[in-house]
Amino acid sequence: NNNNNNKKEDDISKELEFYTGQRSGGLLSSGPDDTPKYDVRCFFLCPNDRMAHTSIIDTRCEQMLLRGLVTETTDLRQDGKLPLSSQPARAIGYRQTLDYLYRSEAKSKDEEALDQYIEDFTTATRRYAKKQMSWFRKDDSFMFVPVQVLDERKKGDDENEVETKEATMLRVEKAAGIITEMCLLSREEYEKQLLMALEGEKEGTTTTNNKTNDKQKGAVKTSKKEQQKQREAYIQQLPLSAQTKIANEEQGKQMKFYKPQRYIIQKGTKEYEDIMLEVDQCTKRIQGLNDDF
C-alpha cells in the first residue's frame, strides 16, 4: 500500500510539474497563501570587459589541452564511456577533439590540422559564452554583478603584470560584497531594486533620450557627441545592475573586432611540441594506425 501511495504522489508531482513548469517542493514553489516558500535571488557574475574575457576563454581552452583533454577523450572512447552518439560526445571540447581524432587522411605532425582543431575549439567556446550572456540579459530575474577580469593579451606588460593571489581575492571580495548587500535587503526593497534596474536598462539601451528630445522641440538639435554625453550621464545614475547589463550589450557590438590569438600553444614552443606529440599518439590509438602514419 505504501508503494501505491508513493506512486500516486509521484504521479501527482509529475502532473503538477507538467502543468505549472515547477517541480513540487522546488525553490520557486508556493506555500498555502500563494507566496514563495523560499526567498530566491539570482545574480549573474558579468565580466566588465568582454574583450579581456574573450582572451581568457582562449587561454583556458589552451590550458585544457595542456592538461590532457585529448588523452582524456581518447581514454573515454576506448573504455566505451563516450559513445559518439551520446550527449557528452556533443559537448564543446569533446566534440572538436573527436572530430580531430577521427579525421580522414590523418598524418603525423600535421600542423594545419592541429591549428584548425584548436581554432574550432576556441571558437565554439567563445560562441557559447556569447549565448550565455545574451540569455542572462533577457532574464529579468537576474541582477548583474560586474567582475573585473584580467586581459590575457596584456600579460607581461609593465602596466598589467600577472595577477597576484591578493588581487584575485580583492576582485572576488568586491563581487561578493555587492551580492551580500543585495541579499541583506528586505524582499520588498530587493524587488524595488530589481524593477529599477530593469526599467533603467530598458531606458538606457535606447539610442537617444526621448525626454531630452521632447524638451528640445523647436530648438537646434544637439550633436551626436552631445547626445552620447547625455546618455552616458543618464546611465551613470542607473542601478549598478542596469549599468553592467548595458555595458555588456554595448561591448558585444565591438566583439567583431576581436582577433583570436594563441597565448600558450604557439609554434616553436615546447608546449606546441608536447601537444603535437600527444595528439599524434592519441590519433594512432583511435584509428589503429602504425607508428609511421
Side-chain angles (χ1 to χ4, degrees), residues 68-279:
L69 173 62
V70 182
T71 298
E72 174 190 323
T73 306
T74 302
D75 290 343
L76 288 171
R77 273 297 296 152
Q78 295 196 321
D79 291 343
K81 298 178 180 178
L82 189 62
L84 294 178
S85 60
S86 66
Q87 186 66 29
R90 293 191 288 272
I92 296 174
Y94 283 146
R95 182 170 74 246
Q96 291 77 25
T97 303
L98 289 168
D99 287 344
Y100 174 80
L101 292 173
Y102 282 96
R103 68 193 187 281
S104 59
E105 300 180 1
K107 58 183 180 181
S108 63
K109 298 182 180 179
D110 189 343
E111 293 186 355
E112 183 178 351
L114 175 58
D115 291 341
Q116 187 62 53
Y117 160 48
I118 297 175
E119 182 179 342
D120 291 344
F121 178 26
T122 55
T123 299
T125 308
R126 290 195 301 269
R127 286 175 178 169
Y128 184 68
K130 177 183 177 181
K131 288 181 179 179
Q132 282 185 318
M133 291 181 189
S134 177
W135 186 86
F136 279 107
R137 286 200 308 269
K138 294 176 182 177
D139 193 325
D140 297 339
S141 65
F142 277 81
M143 282 281 197
F144 270 52
V145 178
V147 178
Q148 184 178 359
V149 293
L150 184 67
D151 197 333
E152 296 287 333
R153 298 166 299 168
K154 298 178 181 178
K155 274 190 175 180
D157 293 352
D158 292 338
E159 298 179 356
N160 195 1
E161 286 295 334
V162 177
E163 188 176 37
T164 63
K165 184 179 293 185
E166 290 77 13
T168 301
M169 288 302 299
L170 286 174
R171 293 193 303 114
V172 173
E173 288 175 2
K174 186 174 181 179
I178 296 172
I179 294 174
T180 300
E181 286 182 14
M182 290 291 115
C183 289
L184 289 175
L185 295 175
S186 67
R187 184 69 204 186
E188 182 180 359
E189 183 60 29
Y190 176 78
E191 292 284 358
K192 182 179 178 181
Q193 288 287 326
L194 197 61
L195 181 60
M196 286 173 58
L198 176 60
E199 292 177 344
E201 181 260 328
K202 288 181 177 179
E203 178 70 19
T205 50
T206 58
T207 55
T208 57
N209 190 323
N210 292 330
K211 293 180 180 179
T212 301
N213 289 339
D214 289 342
K215 292 178 181 179
Q216 294 178 336
K217 286 182 178 179
V220 178
K221 290 185 177 180
T222 55
S223 65
K224 289 185 178 180
K225 186 176 181 180
E226 183 62 27
Q227 288 179 358
Q228 182 63 24
K229 285 178 63 177
Q230 292 174 352
R231 181 170 179 271
E232 289 175 356
Y234 172 77
I235 291 174
Q236 287 298 317
Q237 301 173 9
L238 298 177
L240 182 60
S241 177
Q243 291 184 38
T244 306
K245 190 181 291 189
I246 291 170
N248 181 264
E249 184 171 3
E250 291 189 344
Q251 288 174 13
K253 300 172 185 177
Q254 303 300 315
M255 291 309 299
K256 60 184 177 181
F257 300 114
Y258 177 78
K259 295 181 179 180
Q261 66 183 77
R262 301 278 180 79
Y263 300 96
I264 308 173
I265 306 175
Q266 300 174 337
K267 290 183 180 180
T269 63
K270 182 180 182 298
E271 288 80 7
Y272 193 90
E273 294 176 359
D274 289 344
I275 285 295
M276 181 64 78
L277 179 61
E278 180 182 352
V279 297

Side-chain angles (χ1 to χ4, degrees), residues 2-19:
N2 286 337
N3 289 336
N4 289 335
N5 290 335
N6 290 337
K7 185 177 184 304
K8 288 181 179 179
E9 290 180 2
D10 288 341
D11 291 341
I12 292 173
S13 177
K14 289 178 181 177
E15 288 180 10
L16 285 172
E17 184 179 346
F18 174 77
Y19 285 115

